[in-house]
Amino acid sequence: MISQWKKTFIILSLIFCMLLTSCTGARELDTLGIVIAVGIDIENGKIIVTNEVINPASGKESKTASSQDNTLFVQGIGNTVEEAIINTTLTFDRRLYYPHNYLVILGEEFAKAGISEHIDILSRGKEQREQAYMLVAKGTRACDVMGINSGISKSSGRYIYQIIEEDIYNGQTRTITINEFLKYHFKEREEYILGVVRPIEKPQINKNKTEDKIQVICVEGGAVFKEDTLVGYYMGDEMLGFNFLIDDLKMANISFESPKYLQKNHNLISEKGSLSSVEIFRSKTKKSLKVIDGRLHLFIDVEFRGLLAEETQGIDISKPGMIREMEKACGEKVKSHIANVMNKAQKEFGIDTFGIGELVHRKYPKLWKEIKDNWSQVFVDLDYTINVKAHINDTGFTNTPPNIRKDK
Amino acid sequence: MNGEKITTRQMILLLTVFRLSLIVSYMPSLDLPPANQDMWIVIFLSLFYSILMRIPILFLVNKFNNLSIIGYSEKILGKFLGKLVGILYGLYFAIYATFVITIQAQLVAADILPNTPNWLIIGILVVTSLYIGSKGLIVIFRTGELIAPITLVSIIILIVLGVRSVEFSTFLPILADSKFSEINIGAILLSFLITDIFIIAMNAPYLENKKDINKIYVKASIYSILLSVISVMVTQGTLGIEQARHANYPFLIYTRLIKYESILQRIDAIYVITWISTNILRKLIYIYISYMSFKEVFNKEDGQWIHYFIGITIGLIAIQLANTKVIITEDSMLNKFFIISSIIFLTIIPLITLIVYFFRRKTLNREENSKI
């Protein structure tokens, strides 16, 4: 038999359990401004935070509401990022809520001014998730790239997010999350790259629209940081070389010219084509170091597999030896991408953005202790050798391109 | 106790999860020397030191397995000194329980209940602990036997889910950046942060099989060290060495990074809930053994009021600490205090007691024989 006291206690406990499910600090959905993209700029010493906030009312309103009406843009200004965020409550009727934010866009001026004193909130805050992507708005402010939606997504934040998520198909870009950024930021003598986002104008094709031009977002390239300051950019082709070098290439397309002598003896319909394309689906890069004649020498060995996606040069790849030649030509092109990015890092930026210092540290820890304080100078003079092995696994459904006639 | 005893398995399970919950909470090991990629070696080495530094207390517990620390202290050191030692141990356990409750309240406030007042969180924790404790030691261990496997499985699942984002090259080069002295100092300091030998020492009289004391301690140490090493390695490998040191709760950040498409993400609350469950047991055991110490010192048969008094006092102090100390684990004075007090209570006092025992061995054996 359960005593009266115990019965009361059990009933009270159950009531408390039900009440405590909405304990203190609970926030109702209609008091939240759910942020899906954040842009941070600096102007006259003040931080400007631009937030793209979901508009929950747009789904209920007229079906003719455009996708732009799905979100609102809320700006706050302050001396710090947190102050700017809090100041949005002076003009906006919701408290901003960040757990669903997956984009942090830094304006170019903000990035050039140095970011480490302003990014504390990204790791200290409980709401902002560490899987959000960090990007730099190339040549413009962060708020200028927000609000552009030229895709199928319902909001511009989602549009940019989806483009970034698709980066696995294109090696000309780089995606870094907040967690990865902090990991590289704290490493000594290794600089990092952030992703890039920029608006570009394109002609309007839809004849039903009145504007001549539309703005689209492009994520090609990478923003190079030294310590916490933006120092420059890698272009699209350089990013291909970069991704090969750090062994982070998932998929890419390499367009290259094959030697002209391969076209000999072909019954060409058109001679205008000059490029072939290989779609890479698997790549592996091994970097090794050796000390040769008292100098460090870096060996970069790349091996990748792909399929021949397009061939416009009029080369009959069904002939023996043609695939080998194509592989060699493709390999040379990749080699040139890697050489270009190494040259740029050494000559223009003078900083190691590839983690080669870490490689020295691992292989030659004693030598690293001697040179680590002078690593930038050592890196600038570092010799390297690139070896590329390309394998074309598949040539698709055709063996001869349409611009030649096959011999009988 | 109705003749019920604590089984070997219950004790091993509890000790394993207690150590693991300490390591994965605020990862004190990350800031110990050499504070680099070799911390996993430090944790492995701390196993050796944690056994070495506890040889005196293990010897005494084995020798006097029918008595608690207070019991054999009184026997060896005499009534007055024995009781003084008992009071000191009682206070030490109470202070440790306060520390554990405060960390728990701060972690809960950090992740799942940021706006809930500390008095409410700590109040609920203390009331729960006192209620379970009031049912007796065997109930505590049975509860632990239920919760410990859930804790272990949860932590293992979290480790497995996040392992794909671990960069194993983070741990290279091995031992190139660490000095031999740094590794050993770090291992010794870590061994002193783990104080769960007292749970065996105070509960030895209630063990089902008293011959298993050494086996319990060694097995629990090995299991917990293995899991601790893996937890620290996956955290450092995912966050990076420096970022892990910057975080207040590194393993929590690690669990926040677990993501499998849209199916599995934002599961950090699982870690917090698992950790809360284990920590409730850890602090209630420390409150209970503090109560047992004072009960034995003051010879109280029915001293439940001592138990409630200790629990309420601990709760009030923990509320004050949680409200005034921003992050208790970052307070270097408190950390120094705990390490020094652990050295004193884990090694120095048992060593002195052991030395006195060896001098008085013949007298004590004669007294034992005359009783028989």
Side-chain angles (χ1 to χ4, degrees), chain A residues 137-157:
Chain A
K138 184 175 176 182
T140 184
R141 299 178 304 172
C143 53
D144 293 332
V145 302
M146 297 169 78
I148 299 172
N149 185 3
S150 303
I152 298 169
S153 304
K154 286 199 182 325
S155 62
S156 57

Side-chain angles (χ1 to χ4, degrees), chain A residues 6 20 23-25 99-100 102 125-131 161 179 182-184 186-187 358 361-362 365 369, chain B residues 109-110 115-117 124 167 169 172-173 176-177 237-240 242-243 246 253 256-259 265-266 268:
Chain A
K6 275 190 182 165
L20 285 174
C23 198
T24 64
H100 296 279
Y102 274 103
K126 301 171 180 105
E127 287 185 1
Q128 178 59 62
R129 291 274 156 173
E130 291 83 0
Q131 295 104 323
Y161 175 74
N179 176 59
L182 288 168
K183 209 173 7 173
Y184 296 128
F186 286 123
K187 278 189 188 178
E358 194 58 39
H361 180 210
R362 270 183 242 145
K369 279 186 184 133
Chain B
N115 294 329
T116 305
I124 292 173
E167 256 184 61
S169 57
L172 298 171
D177 296 334
T238 306
L239 269 56
E242 280 305 312
Q243 196 195 346
H246 277 71
I253 306 294
R256 279 164 66 98
L257 294 170
I258 295 171
K259 186 182 173 200
Q265 50 179 313
R266 299 167 192 269
D268 40 298

Side-chain angles (χ1 to χ4, degrees), chain A residues 266-331:
Chain A
H266 289 163
N267 196 351
L268 286 166
I269 299 169
S270 163
E271 290 184 26
K272 294 190 201 108
S274 61
L275 296 172
S276 303
S277 294
V278 166
E279 197 178 299
I280 298 174
F281 58 79
R282 198 180 305 140
S283 161
K284 183 83 194 143
T285 304
K286 281 190 188 139
K287 297 195 285 287
S288 55
L289 283 160
K290 281 198 176 107
V291 178
I292 300 173
D293 297 330
R295 282 173 66 89
L296 272 173
H297 195 103
L298 175 68
F299 292 91
I300 304 163
D301 297 303
V302 180
E303 193 168 341
F304 64 84
R305 291 190 178 275
L307 40 104
L308 185 65
E310 194 176 22
E311 204 275 286
T312 69
Q313 284 181 280
I315 295 171
D316 184 357
I317 52 164
S318 65
K319 297 226 183 284
M322 289 297 181
I323 290 283
R324 287 285 155 273
E325 295 298 321
M326 297 284 274
E327 286 172 349
K328 264 192 218 165
C330 186

